[in-house]
Amino acid sequence: MTAMTIHVSDGTRQRLEDLARRRGTSIDRLIDDMATEMLAEADAEARFQARAMRGAGRAAEGLRLLARARDAAGEA
């Protein structure tokens, strides 16, 4: 594991200490969890953007497929 130094205000440091204490963890673990969550969100956004790019200009086709699926569901 790599060590990293971050600079935060005294107030932020105190609030992080309080939050970590309430959650029964360390500030290090709290920061690691937050960073992991942010990276997961960034990865999900990148996947969503890639899928959106693949579907760009294909709205009419998608709407036709939805209509066909809706019609098929109505027949079942």
Side-chain angles (χ1 to χ4, degrees):
M1 187 176 296
T2 301
M4 182 181 349
T5 301
I6 61 169
H7 298 276
V8 297
S9 68
D10 292 339
T12 298
R13 168 73 187 206
Q14 185 60 53
R15 291 183 68 197
L16 286 169
E17 286 176 354
D18 294 342
L19 180 58
R21 188 173 19 268
R22 285 194 310 270
R23 292 189 176 185
T25 191
S26 66
I27 291 180
D28 288 346
R29 182 78 228 163
L30 190 69
I31 298 293
D32 186 61
D33 290 348
M34 287 188 297
T36 299
E37 186 173 329
M38 290 179 74
L39 290 170
E41 288 176 8
D43 291 345
E45 184 177 348
R47 285 191 304 275
F48 178 81
Q49 292 295 333
R51 288 179 179 162
M53 293 295 290
R54 285 196 305 269
R58 297 176 65 188
E61 178 185 356
L63 291 173
R64 277 193 308 276
L65 288 171
L66 284 173
R68 193 166 65 190
R70 187 176 31 239
D71 292 344
E75 294 172 5

